[in-house]
PDB file of all heavy atoms in Angstrom:
ATOM      1  N   ILE A 197      13.754  -5.844  -0.867  1.00 94.00           N
ATOM      2  CA  ILE A 197      12.991  -4.625  -0.726  1.00 94.00           C
ATOM      3  C   ILE A 197      12.159  -4.367  -1.949  1.00 94.00           C
ATOM      4  O   ILE A 197      10.959  -4.030  -1.834  1.00 94.00           O
ATOM      5  CB  ILE A 197      13.942  -3.411  -0.480  1.00 94.00           C
ATOM      6  CG1 ILE A 197      14.681  -3.627   0.950  1.00 94.00           C
ATOM      7  CG2 ILE A 197      13.201  -2.076  -0.409  1.00 94.00           C
ATOM      8  CD1 ILE A 197      15.566  -2.591   1.280  1.00 94.00           C
ATOM      9  N   SER A 198      12.763  -4.470  -3.153  1.00 94.00           N
ATOM     10  CA  SER A 198      12.010  -4.199  -4.421  1.00 94.00           C
ATOM     11  C   SER A 198      10.861  -5.196  -4.536  1.00 94.00           C
ATOM     12  O   SER A 198       9.780  -4.860  -5.061  1.00 94.00           O
ATOM     13  CB  SER A 198      12.901  -4.156  -5.579  1.00 94.00           C
ATOM     14  OG  SER A 198      13.507  -5.483  -5.734  1.00 94.00           O
ATOM     15  N   THR A 199      11.091  -6.444  -4.093  1.00 95.00           N
ATOM     16  CA  THR A 199      10.035  -7.543  -4.229  1.00 95.00           C
ATOM     17  C   THR A 199       8.872  -7.142  -3.314  1.00 95.00           C
ATOM     18  O   THR A 199       7.755  -7.253  -3.645  1.00 95.00           O
ATOM     19  CB  THR A 199      10.688  -8.723  -3.787  1.00 95.00           C
ATOM     20  OG1 THR A 199      11.617  -9.116  -4.738  1.00 95.00           O
ATOM     21  CG2 THR A 199       9.559  -9.928  -3.800  1.00 95.00           C
ATOM     22  N   CYS A 200       9.156  -6.701  -2.047  1.00 96.00           N
ATOM     23  CA  CYS A 200       8.113  -6.293  -1.188  1.00 96.00           C
ATOM     24  C   CYS A 200       7.320  -5.056  -1.705  1.00 96.00           C
ATOM     25  O   CYS A 200       6.083  -5.130  -1.633  1.00 96.00           O
ATOM     26  CB  CYS A 200       8.693  -5.940   0.157  1.00 96.00           C
ATOM     27  SG  CYS A 200       9.481  -7.293   1.099  1.00 96.00           S
ATOM     28  N   HIS A 201       7.929  -4.111  -2.234  1.00 96.00           N
ATOM     29  CA  HIS A 201       7.229  -2.973  -2.885  1.00 96.00           C
ATOM     30  C   HIS A 201       6.302  -3.464  -4.040  1.00 96.00           C
ATOM     31  O   HIS A 201       5.194  -3.046  -4.093  1.00 96.00           O
ATOM     32  CB  HIS A 201       8.263  -2.055  -3.395  1.00 96.00           C
ATOM     33  CG  HIS A 201       7.683  -0.835  -4.110  1.00 96.00           C
ATOM     34  ND1 HIS A 201       6.866   0.108  -3.345  1.00 96.00           N
ATOM     35  CD2 HIS A 201       7.657  -0.383  -5.410  1.00 96.00           C
ATOM     36  CE1 HIS A 201       6.408   1.014  -4.256  1.00 96.00           C
ATOM     37  NE2 HIS A 201       6.945   0.779  -5.422  1.00 96.00           N
ATOM     38  N   LYS A 202       6.851  -4.361  -4.796  1.00 96.00           N
ATOM     39  CA  LYS A 202       6.056  -4.907  -5.856  1.00 96.00           C
ATOM     40  C   LYS A 202       4.821  -5.674  -5.514  1.00 96.00           C
ATOM     41  O   LYS A 202       3.763  -5.564  -6.024  1.00 96.00           O
ATOM     42  CB  LYS A 202       6.921  -5.703  -6.777  1.00 96.00           C
ATOM     43  CG  LYS A 202       6.220  -6.352  -8.088  1.00 96.00           C
ATOM     44  CD  LYS A 202       7.247  -7.125  -8.802  1.00 96.00           C
ATOM     45  CE  LYS A 202       6.500  -7.746 -10.084  1.00 96.00           C
ATOM     46  NZ  LYS A 202       7.429  -8.626 -10.922  1.00 96.00           N
ATOM     47  N   LEU A 203       5.032  -6.409  -4.282  1.00 97.00           N
ATOM     48  CA  LEU A 203       3.909  -7.226  -3.915  1.00 97.00           C
ATOM     49  C   LEU A 203       2.837  -6.247  -3.301  1.00 97.00           C
ATOM     50  O   LEU A 203       1.687  -6.652  -3.443  1.00 97.00           O
ATOM     51  CB  LEU A 203       4.412  -8.159  -2.790  1.00 97.00           C
ATOM     52  CG  LEU A 203       5.255  -9.428  -3.292  1.00 97.00           C
ATOM     53  CD1 LEU A 203       5.729 -10.146  -2.084  1.00 97.00           C
ATOM     54  CD2 LEU A 203       4.506 -10.228  -4.190  1.00 97.00           C
ATOM     55  N   VAL A 204       3.238  -5.328  -2.563  1.00 97.00           N
ATOM     56  CA  VAL A 204       2.199  -4.325  -2.040  1.00 97.00           C
ATOM     57  C   VAL A 204       1.358  -3.796  -3.106  1.00 97.00           C
ATOM     58  O   VAL A 204       0.090  -3.735  -3.006  1.00 97.00           O
ATOM     59  CB  VAL A 204       2.946  -3.169  -1.256  1.00 97.00           C
ATOM     60  CG1 VAL A 204       1.881  -2.153  -0.888  1.00 97.00           C
ATOM     61  CG2 VAL A 204       3.584  -3.722   0.000  1.00 97.00           C
ATOM     62  N   LEU A 205       1.867  -3.380  -4.203  1.00 97.00           N
ATOM     63  CA  LEU A 205       1.159  -2.797  -5.348  1.00 97.00           C
ATOM     64  C   LEU A 205       0.286  -3.810  -6.047  1.00 97.00           C
ATOM     65  O   LEU A 205      -0.891  -3.587  -6.328  1.00 97.00           O
ATOM     66  CB  LEU A 205       2.039  -2.121  -6.336  1.00 97.00           C
ATOM     67  CG  LEU A 205       2.822  -0.914  -5.853  1.00 97.00           C
ATOM     68  CD1 LEU A 205       3.704  -0.362  -7.013  1.00 97.00           C
ATOM     69  CD2 LEU A 205       1.946   0.184  -5.311  1.00 97.00           C
ATOM     70  N   GLU A 206       0.925  -5.093  -6.198  1.00 97.00           N
ATOM     71  CA  GLU A 206       0.247  -6.131  -6.900  1.00 97.00           C
ATOM     72  C   GLU A 206      -1.097  -6.532  -6.120  1.00 97.00           C
ATOM     73  O   GLU A 206      -2.171  -6.756  -6.654  1.00 97.00           O
ATOM     74  CB  GLU A 206       1.109  -7.303  -7.164  1.00 97.00           C
ATOM     75  CG  GLU A 206       2.131  -7.088  -8.331  1.00 97.00           C
ATOM     76  CD  GLU A 206       2.997  -8.333  -8.526  1.00 97.00           C
ATOM     77  OE1 GLU A 206       2.831  -9.277  -7.812  1.00 97.00           O
ATOM     78  OE2 GLU A 206       3.735  -8.259  -9.641  1.00 97.00           O
TER      79      GLU A 206
END
Side-chain angles (χ1 to χ4, degrees):
I197 293 178
S198 60
T199 300
C200 292
H201 177 68
K202 182 179 179 181
L203 288 178
V204 171
L205 295 182
E206 286 183 354

